[in-house]
Amino acid sequence: MTTTTPSDVRPDPPHSPDDRSLTAFGYRQELHRSLGRYASFAAGFSFISVLTTVFQFFAFGYAFGGPVFFWAWPAVLLGQLMVAACFAELAARYPISGAIYQWSSRLSNLTFGWFAGWIMVIGQIVVVAAAALALQMVLPAIWSGFQLVGTDPAPTSADGAANAALLGVVLLALTTLVNVLDNRVMSVVNRVGVTAEIIGAVLIVVLLLTHSERTPGITFHTEGAAQSGLFGALLVGSFTAAYVMIGFDSAGEMSEETHHPRRTAPRTILTALGAAGLLGGLIVLGGLLAAPSLTDGRLAVDGLSYVLTSSLGDGVGKVLLADVVVAIAVATLAIQTAACRMLFSMARDGQLPYSARLARVNPRTGMPTAPALVVGVLAAALLLLNFASPEAFLAIGTTCIVMLYLAYAMVTGPLLVARMRGRFTTDGTDEAGAPLFSLGRWGVPVNALALVYGLLMAVNLAWPRAAVYDPAGGHWYFQWFTVLFLGVTVAAGVAYRARKARATLPAEAVAPA
C-alpha cells in the first residue's frame, strides 16, 4: 500500500515505540496519539451505546416477538463475542486506523479489502443516521416541546418520523463540530458520556428490577409471537440485539490514537462488547418485568420510555431519560468518528475519490476534517428519507446492521482461510513484552462459527419480509430497501474501481483503434 503524508505532521509523542510500530506498516504518525485504555474502551462502548440502541429498538423487538424475544439476546451476544475474539487477535497484530479495510486487505488482497472497507464505511454512515434518529424515542417523552412537527411522537407516525429527522439533523451538526475541533475534546466528551451512560444503565437496571410486576418466567411466554411462530418471532426479535451489539471494532479503529494499541485494543474490544451485552440484556429483562402491562399495546409502540415514566414516575423516569439523551449524542459522535477514520485510512492509500483532501490531517487538532464533514452531510441526507415515510426508520436501522455484518464477514472469512493455510501467525509480543492476544487452538472453530453466524444473521436481517418492512403496504422499495441499498453500494464500488483502473492504464491501451 502507498501512503501520502504531509511534511508538517507532528508526531505525538515523537519517536515513541507506538509510532515506530505504525512506521513498520508504511505509515507516518499523523493522528495525535492521546487515548488511554479507558478512552479506547469508551470508543467501542459508545459506538455500541446500549442505552441508545435498546431504547430505539426494544418496542420493535417486543412488537414482533412478545416477551420471548428476550432469548434472542444471549444468542446474538454469543455470536458477536466470537467475532470480537477474532477482531481482538487482528487488533493486536494490525493496530491501524481503518481496521476492517486494513485487516481484510492484509488477509486477502487489496481489491477484496477495498470492498470490505467500502461496505463498512457506507454502513457506518447509515449507522450515524440511525443513531441520530433515536432522539425521537426519548426527547418528546421528556418534554412535549421537543415534538417540533405535528403532535404524534411515535416514530412510526408521519409526525414522529419527520420530527425524528429534524432532531437528528441538529444532533449531526453538533457531532460534526466536535469531530473537527480536537481529538482531546472528542475523547473527553466520549469518556464523560460513557461514564454517564454506564451509571445510568446500572441505575435503570436496579430500579426496573426492584419495581418488577412479574417473574422472569414471563420470558418463556409466547404471546405476541403467534403471528409468525416462535422461531420466526425470535428471528425478527433478534434485530434488537443485532442492532445493539455492533461497533465494538471501534477500539481497533482508534489504534493510531491509542497508547500501546497492541496491548490495549484487544482488551477493550472484548470488554466493551461484554459490558454492553450484559447491561443491555439486563435492561431488556428489567423492562419486561417492570412494564405496567404487557397487553395494552403501549410496550410495542412506546417501548422502554413508557416503562420508565410509568413505573418509576415522571421525575425519576425523565432524569434517566435525560441520561439516555446523553448516550445517544455520544453514540452518534463515536460512530461518526469511526466512519471518519475509515475514510481517512482508505484515502491515505489513495483508494477513494478526492483522496488527497480526505487524507489531510490538521496538524494542530490531529483530526481529519474533510471526512467529518462528508459523513455528517451524507448522514443528514439519509435522514430526509424519514420525511417520505415512517417505514424509513426501520429500513435505515436494519440496512446499517446488514452492511456491518457483511463487512465483518469479509474479515472473518479471509482470516479463516489464512488460518487453514497456516498463513496467520500467533507469534509476537505487545508493548509490554507479553504474548499477543491469541485464541490458540480454539482459533479455527471459533473463527468458523463467527463466520457462519455472521452470514446467517446478515441474511436474516436483509430478508424482505413485508410484515416487517412494509406493514402498511404500497412501499415495495422499503420492503426491499436493504437489498437495493446494498446492491447500489456494491455497483457504485465496482464502477469506481473500474474507472480508477481505466484511468491508470497507459494512454495507448485505452485509445480507440
Side-chain angles (χ1 to χ4, degrees):
M1 294 183 187
T2 59
T3 175
T4 57
T5 53
S7 58
D8 58 353
V9 171
R10 182 190 64 190
D12 182 22
H15 311 303
S16 73
D18 296 338
D19 296 344
R20 290 197 294 271
S21 175
L22 183 60
T23 302
F25 291 107
Y27 301 114
R28 184 181 175 186
Q29 186 70 43
E30 300 180 68
L31 305 173
H32 291 183
R33 199 177 287 278
S34 62
L35 307 184
R37 184 172 179 179
Y38 188 69
S40 176
F41 165 82
F45 189 90
S46 55
F47 192 125
I48 299 171
S49 189
V50 62
L51 289 185
T52 300
T53 46
V54 171
F55 271 77
Q56 190 172 10
F57 267 72
F58 178 94
F60 172 82
Y62 186 81
F64 279 89
V68 76
F69 99 97
F70 166 79
W71 292 105
W73 192 276
V76 172
L77 176 58
L78 178 60
Q80 289 296 69
L81 280 172
M82 291 187 290
V83 177
C86 294
F87 284 6
E89 286 187 304
L90 293 169
R93 288 156 182 80
Y94 307 111
I96 315 171
S97 291
I100 298 299
Y101 156 70
Q102 294 283 353
W103 298 343
S104 184
S105 297
R106 294 169 190 277
L107 291 167
S108 54
N109 56 63
L110 181 56
T111 298
F112 189 84
W114 185 91
F115 276 100
W118 176 248
I119 291 173
M120 182 68 181
V121 76
I122 299 299
Q124 287 172 325
I125 292 171
V126 182
V127 179
V128 174
L133 286 174
L135 283 179
Q136 183 63 24
M137 298 296 296
V138 184
L139 282 180
I142 296 176
W143 179 48
S144 60
F146 286 117
Q147 185 65 35
L148 305 174
V149 179
T151 57
D152 189 349
T156 53
S157 69
D159 289 350
N163 198 67
L166 185 59
L167 294 175
V169 169
V170 173
L171 177 57
L172 286 173
L174 295 174
T175 58
T176 300
L177 177 63
V178 174
N179 257 309
V180 300
L181 286 177
D182 191 291
N183 75 335
R184 287 168 296 187
V185 174
M186 178 269 297
S187 176
V188 169
V189 172
N190 239 0
R191 284 177 293 170
V192 172
V194 164
T195 302
E197 180 172 7
I198 292 174
I199 293 172
V202 171
L203 284 175
I204 288 172
V205 169
V206 171
L207 290 171
L208 288 179
L209 292 180
T210 54
H211 287 74
S212 294
E213 299 284 341
R214 53 195 66 84
T215 67
I218 193 66
T219 59
F220 293 98
H221 290 202
T222 58
E223 290 88 350
Q227 57 181 332
S228 53
L230 178 59
F231 184 65
L234 287 173
L235 287 179
V236 178
S238 68
F239 285 24
T240 301
Y243 182 60
V244 173
M245 288 180 271
I246 54 174
F248 44 85
D249 53 292
S250 291
E253 196 72 66
M254 305 298 290
S255 288
E256 291 184 31
E257 294 156 87
T258 303
H259 294 302
H260 316 306
R262 292 182 187 272
R263 182 175 181 82
T264 300
R267 297 181 179 187
T268 52
I269 286 174
L270 291 169
T271 53
L273 176 60
L278 175 61
L279 284 173
L282 290 174
I283 291 173
V284 171
L285 177 61
L288 292 172
L289 300 186
S293 172
L294 298 180
T295 57
D296 64 0
R298 292 197 61 186
L299 198 58
V301 176
D302 300 323
L304 287 174
S305 297
Y306 152 69
V307 179
L308 286 187
T309 54
S310 300
S311 300
L312 307 180
D314 274 353
V316 175
K318 288 183 179 180
V319 168
L320 293 174
L321 287 178
D323 188 65
V324 176
V325 173
V326 173
I328 293 170
V330 173
T332 306
L333 171 65
I335 301 165
Q336 185 175 8
T337 301
C340 291
R341 299 306 179 269
M342 179 67 76
L343 280 176
F344 162 75
S345 184
M346 295 181 72
R348 181 173 56 181
D349 288 344
Q351 296 299 315
L352 291 175
Y354 309 104
S355 284
R357 183 65 180 270
L358 291 171
R360 190 176 303 160
V361 176
N362 186 315
R364 182 182 61 81
T365 65
M367 303 287 271
T369 302
L373 297 175
V374 169
V375 174
V377 170
L378 292 179
L382 276 173
L383 293 184
L384 298 180
L385 287 173
N386 245 38
F387 285 102
S389 173
E391 277 77 21
F393 175 84
L394 182 59
I396 291 173
T398 52
T399 296
C400 68
I401 315 173
V402 172
M403 301 285 280
L404 266 62
Y405 265 76
L406 284 177
Y408 287 176
M410 294 177 76
V411 172
T412 55
L415 177 58
L416 180 60
V417 173
R419 289 185 199 276
M420 300 294 288
R421 294 179 176 177
R423 292 192 292 105
F424 182 71
T425 177
T426 57
D427 299 332
T429 57
D430 61 25
E431 294 86 358
L436 295 177
F437 177 86
S438 174
L439 290 172
R441 60 191 179 92
W442 291 99
V444 171
V446 169
N447 196 162
L449 288 172
L451 176 61
V452 171
Y453 158 78
L455 292 174
L456 290 178
M457 183 59 77
V459 172
N460 174 41
L461 293 164
W463 200 264
R465 302 172 176 90
V468 174
Y469 296 114
D470 187 24
H475 298 93
W476 64 269
Y477 43 88
F478 280 125
Q479 180 181 344
W480 291 89
F481 185 85
T482 298
V483 177
L484 292 171
F485 192 91
L486 179 60
V488 170
T489 299
V490 173
V494 170
Y496 170 71
R497 296 286 295 181
R499 181 181 178 185
K500 187 172 184 289
R502 182 177 176 84
T504 57
L505 289 175
E508 60 271 16
V510 296

